[in-house]
Amino acid sequence: DFLFFWGAVFLITTTLVALLKKENKELTPTKEETKGITDTYRLLFSIIKMPAVLTFCLLILTAKVGFSAADAVTGLKLVEEGVPKEHLALLAVPMVPLQIILPLIISKYTAGPQPLNTFYKAMPFRLLFGLEFAFLVWWTPKVKHEGGFPIYYYIVVLLSYALHQITLYSMYVAIMAFNAKVSDPLIGGTYMTLLNTVSNLGGNWPSTVALWLVDPLTVKECVGAQEQTCGTTVAAEV
C-alpha cells in the first residue's frame, strides 16, 4: 500500500509537470555540453584519463571498504539475534530530523578551500563505530529476555545509530562538496555525474562483498549432531 500510494503520487505529479510546466522562451538557451550520447561518453573518457581524476577515483572506490561490514550486516545480525524488524524500523524515525539537520551543520565546515579535511577527520571515528556495532551484536543476545529487550538496550542502539549518522554524513557531505568544487563549470553536469557515480559505486561494491562473505566467515557450532560442521547452509539445515 505504501509503495502503491507513492507510485501514484509520482505518476500524478510528473504528469502535471509535463502538462502544465512551460519553458521560458525569453531566456537565451545555454549551450549544451554535448550533442549526443557518443559525445558524452567521449567526454567522460577524457575526464577519467586525467591523472588527478584517476587517482581520486581509485581512492574513493576503496575508501569505504572498512565500513562495509558494519553498514551492511549490523541490522541483519540484530534481527537474527531476535530484535523485531518493526522496532528497528521505528528507530529510523528519530533519525529523520537528524539527517535533515546534519548536512546544514556540516556544510559550514566543508565550504572552505579543503572540504576533504572533514572526510579524513570523520573516517577513524566511523571505523571505530564498526567495532562498536560488532560489540552491539555480541551484546544483544545477552540482554534478551522472555518479553523481548529492555528499554535501555534500544536507547543504546538509538545513540549508536545517531552518532554513526554524524560520521556518515560528515563523509558524505564532504565528498559532495569536493566533487562540486573540482568539477569544471563548462561541463559541470557530466563531471559531477561521473564523480558522484564513482562515489556511490565505492560504497555499494564493498557492501555487496561483505554480505556475500557473511556465510563463509561465520563460525557455526552444531549442538547434538556428530560429524557435522555446519559450515554450509545445507549442513546447517541438516
Side-chain angles (χ1 to χ4, degrees):
D1 289 345
F2 178 83
L3 292 174
F4 180 81
F5 172 79
W6 286 111
V9 170
F10 289 149
L11 279 172
I12 293 166
T13 51
T14 50
T15 304
L16 288 173
V17 169
L19 293 175
L20 302 177
K21 177 65 179 170
K22 302 297 180 184
E23 295 294 338
N24 192 345
K25 294 180 180 179
E26 294 178 4
L27 295 174
T28 306
T30 55
K31 185 181 178 182
E32 291 185 7
E33 294 178 357
T34 52
K35 294 181 180 179
I37 191 167
T38 307
D39 289 342
T40 302
Y41 277 101
R42 282 177 183 163
L43 184 59
L44 285 171
F45 187 66
S46 66
I47 294 170
I48 291 173
K49 284 195 298 183
M50 295 165 65
V53 174
L54 191 61
T55 304
F56 176 69
C57 287
L58 289 172
L59 166 74
I60 208 64
L61 278 172
T62 54
K64 297 178 183 176
V65 171
F67 323 125
S68 55
D71 291 357
V73 184
T74 301
L76 298 173
K77 282 294 175 185
L78 292 179
V79 171
E80 190 179 283
E81 295 294 347
V83 181
K85 293 178 185 176
E86 57 270 24
H87 289 182
L88 283 179
L90 281 174
L91 290 178
V93 176
M95 294 294 108
V96 175
L98 186 67
Q99 290 167 349
I100 295 171
I101 295 167
L102 277 176
L104 296 173
I105 298 171
I106 297 165
S107 61
K108 295 178 182 178
Y109 301 95
T110 57
Q114 296 177 317
L116 278 186
N117 281 352
T118 306
F119 184 92
Y120 298 142
K121 288 175 183 176
M123 185 176 281
F125 293 102
R126 192 170 171 187
L127 286 168
L128 286 172
F129 273 107
L131 294 174
E132 200 267 342
F133 281 174
F135 169 79
L136 197 62
V137 172
W138 171 82
W139 183 55
T140 298
K142 300 185 182 303
V143 295
K144 186 180 180 182
H145 52 74
E146 291 183 3
F149 292 89
I151 295 295
Y152 67 82
Y153 170 78
Y154 289 109
I155 293 172
V156 171
V157 173
L158 185 63
L159 285 173
S160 300
Y161 272 47
L163 293 171
H164 177 257
Q165 287 289 312
I166 294 172
T167 62
L168 189 151
Y169 270 82
S170 295
M171 295 181 69
Y172 175 76
V173 174
I175 209 74
M176 291 296 114
F178 179 79
N179 290 348
K181 192 173 184 64
V182 300
S183 295
D184 188 339
L186 295 175
I187 50 172
T190 306
Y191 218 119
M192 277 289 288
T193 302
L194 171 66
L195 295 179
N196 289 345
T197 300
V198 173
S199 180
N200 290 335
L201 187 61
N204 289 335
W205 80 260
S207 296
T208 304
V209 173
L211 289 168
W212 181 72
L213 287 172
V214 169
D215 271 351
L217 293 178
T218 299
V219 178
K220 299 173 185 175
E221 181 184 352
C222 290
V223 180
Q226 297 296 326
E227 299 179 0
Q228 288 288 343
T229 61
C230 292
T232 64
T233 306
V234 175
E237 288 176 357
V238 171

